[in-house]
Structures are given as structure tokens and as C-alpha cells.
């Protein structure tokens, strides 16, 4: 799962019910090298209901499974596929990032209606002949939560209706405030992370409760990290 990646975000929560965790960045020069820590661990917020197994690069796991609207952040290993934010496409930030960049606009939506053909996709509704959803996430918000963020490839290719949608790394409401199911952090930390991510390094997010991490670390070829990061 992680053998071809050169960048890894490791998020370890105290337990399944925890809405807070620590994020540690790792990188390596080649797939044969050991993982090296990049910078200090940072605090993150998780879903208000904690964690549940998501649909990602890992095999199906026994235990609680993420569902739409359950308030859980997905546990497992996931690709990070794009960045988004309020900065204009020709801004220094957007021109410098090394992942595909989605500029938030009034028409940019993430579809969370399981009945929609666009479920769990970020779409520009101005480019569609018609919209078929009853609910969606506005990517251009009135607050700073989506000022900069990253798309987590949970429940993709193809999405399973009702298995969870619109999972991002983004800016938290405030320190310690839980999310609806995403992983959130301080604005400065999210900006630093967005600048660090490199699509050529095939970045991944590994997100687990502490005990699951300890059980799966060797099998999943994850780096060693102390309790609580």
C-alpha cells in the first residue's frame, strides 16, 4: 500500500472515539529508504464521533465502517489527490503547489447526496447541464475552514453510495473543535502541509487509532512512532 509512496501523513488517535489526534509528516528519497520525520508533530481534530474504517487503499477491515453523516473520520490508508482553496488560480500559492489545485467558487461543490450520480465528487456545477443532488458541500465558505485544504481519496473508484463523502484535510474551526468527519488543523499548519505535498511523491494519509496502528504497523510498512506522536 505504501511501497510506492515517498510522502506519508501519519495520524494517530488515542482510540476509536477520540476527536483529537497528532499528525506527523514522513518522507523518503526512494522506496528502498527508511521513512524520515519531517518537522514536529501537529495537533489535528477528527470527526465528532471519532473514527470508523473507510474505503481506501487498505483491504476491508473488521470493525465499524464509515457511513454518510455518522460524524466519523475514516480510518485506513488513502491517497491525497488534490488541493483546494480560496486563492486565485494565478496566485503565487496556486502556482507553487505540486498537486492539482481547485479554486473555490460559488459553483464548486462537493456532492454528499448518495442518490446523485456525482456522489463524493467535487464538481463545477456551471459546467453541468443539470444538477441531480439534494445536498452538497459549498467549497467557497464564509469562514476560513476551506481557505486551503487537500482532497482525501476516501470511497472512490467507484464510490459506494452512503459510505461517506467529501473527506478533506482542512482548517479547523478552533483548536480541539471536532469536525463532521474530516481531519482539520490550524491554518498555518494546513498552509505548510499544502506547500510540502508533492504529487510526484504519491502522498498518502494513514489514519488509525493507536492500538490499530500498533497491530498493523509492520504489515502495512508504516514508520515507527511513539504513542501520541
Amino acid at each position: 500500500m505504501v511501497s510506492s509512496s515517498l510522502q506519508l501523513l501519519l495520524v494517530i488517535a488515542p482510540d476509536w472515539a477520540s476527536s483529537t489526534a497528532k499528525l506527523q509528516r514522513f518522507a523518503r528519497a526512494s522506496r528502498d529508504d527508511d521513512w524520515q520525520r519531517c518537522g514536529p508533530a501537529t495537533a489535528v481534530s477528527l470527526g465528532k464521533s471519532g473514527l470508523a474504517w473507510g474505503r481506501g487503499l487498505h483491504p476491508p477491515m473488521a470493525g465499524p465502517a464509515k457511513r454518510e453523516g455518522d460524524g466519523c473520520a475514516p480510518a485506513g490508508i488513502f491517497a491525497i489527490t488534490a488541493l483546494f482553496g480560496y486563492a486565485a488560480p494565478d496566485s503565487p500559492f496556486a502556482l507553487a503547489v505540486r498537486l492539482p489545485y481547485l479554486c473555490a467558487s460559488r459553483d464548486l461543490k462537493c456532492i454528499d447526496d448518495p442518490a446523485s450520480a456525482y456522489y463524493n465528487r467535487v464538481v463545477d456545477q456551471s459546467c453541468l447541464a443539470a444538477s441531480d443532488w439534494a445536498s452538497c458541500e459549498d467549497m467557497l465558505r464564509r469562514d476560513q475552514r476551506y481557505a486551503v485544504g487537500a482532497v482525501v481519496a476516501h470511497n472512490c473508484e467507484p464510490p459506494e453510495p452512503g459510505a461517506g463523502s467529501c473527506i478533506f484535510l482542512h482548517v479547523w474551526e478552533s483548536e480541539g473543535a471536532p469536525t463532521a468527519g474530516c481531519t482539520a488543523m490550524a491554518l498555518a499548519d494546513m498552509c505548510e502541509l499544502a506547500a510540502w505535498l508533492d504529487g510526484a511523491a504519491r502522498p498518502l494519509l494513514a489514519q488509525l487509532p493507536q492500538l490499530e496502528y500498533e497491530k498493523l504497523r509492520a504489515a502495512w510498512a508504516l514508520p515507527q512512532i511513539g504513542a501520541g506522536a
Side-chain angles (χ1 to χ4, degrees):
M1 288 178 289
V2 303
S3 61
S4 64
S5 176
L6 303 181
Q7 287 186 330
L8 176 69
L9 306 179
L10 183 59
V11 173
I12 305 297
D15 52 50
W16 284 105
S18 179
S19 62
T20 61
K22 290 294 184 67
L23 180 154
Q24 177 66 57
R25 290 180 289 152
F26 289 88
R28 57 187 178 182
S30 76
R31 57 187 296 176
D32 297 321
D33 293 329
D34 293 332
W35 290 108
Q36 303 295 322
R37 293 184 188 228
C38 297
T42 57
V44 296
S45 293
L46 302 176
K48 60 187 178 182
S49 300
L51 291 161
W53 286 115
R55 299 181 71 239
L57 301 175
H58 55 282
M61 306 296 293
K66 172 151 184 64
R67 304 300 300 172
E68 188 68 43
D70 63 1
C72 290
I77 299 182
F78 312 91
I80 300 172
T81 55
L83 297 172
F84 59 86
Y86 301 165
D90 59 353
S91 66
F93 172 81
L95 294 174
V97 296
R98 294 170 292 169
L99 278 169
Y101 178 71
L102 304 171
C103 177
S105 70
R106 289 181 297 176
D107 288 316
L108 195 67
K109 313 289 184 182
C110 187
I111 312 307
D112 57 14
D113 179 358
S116 171
Y118 302 100
Y119 179 63
N120 199 29
R121 288 176 55 190
V122 178
V123 300
D124 184 338
Q125 65 179 4
S126 69
C127 298
L128 304 178
S131 58
D132 67 348
W133 54 84
S135 64
C136 65
E137 285 271 350
D138 293 328
M139 299 304 292
L140 182 60
R141 298 170 56 104
R142 294 183 178 180
D143 56 29
Q144 293 297 300
R145 306 271 282 283
Y146 289 177
V148 58
V151 177
V152 176
H154 157 75
N155 191 27
C156 300
E157 300 178 2
E160 176 184 306
S165 63
C166 306
I167 300 300
F168 306 129
L169 305 174
H170 66 75
V171 180
W172 60 24
E173 178 182 7
S174 60
E175 184 172 0
T179 72
C182 294
T183 300
M185 64 200 76
L187 175 60
D189 292 332
M190 188 64 241
C191 289
E192 182 177 350
L193 179 58
W196 178 78
L197 290 168
D198 184 353
R202 297 170 293 279
L204 299 176
L205 167 68
Q207 190 160 256
L208 294 164
Q210 180 72 39
L211 289 180
E212 295 297 330
Y213 161 75
E214 292 171 1
K215 289 190 293 185
L216 295 168
R217 187 190 68 79
W220 287 11
L222 297 174
Q224 181 71 54
I225 193 170

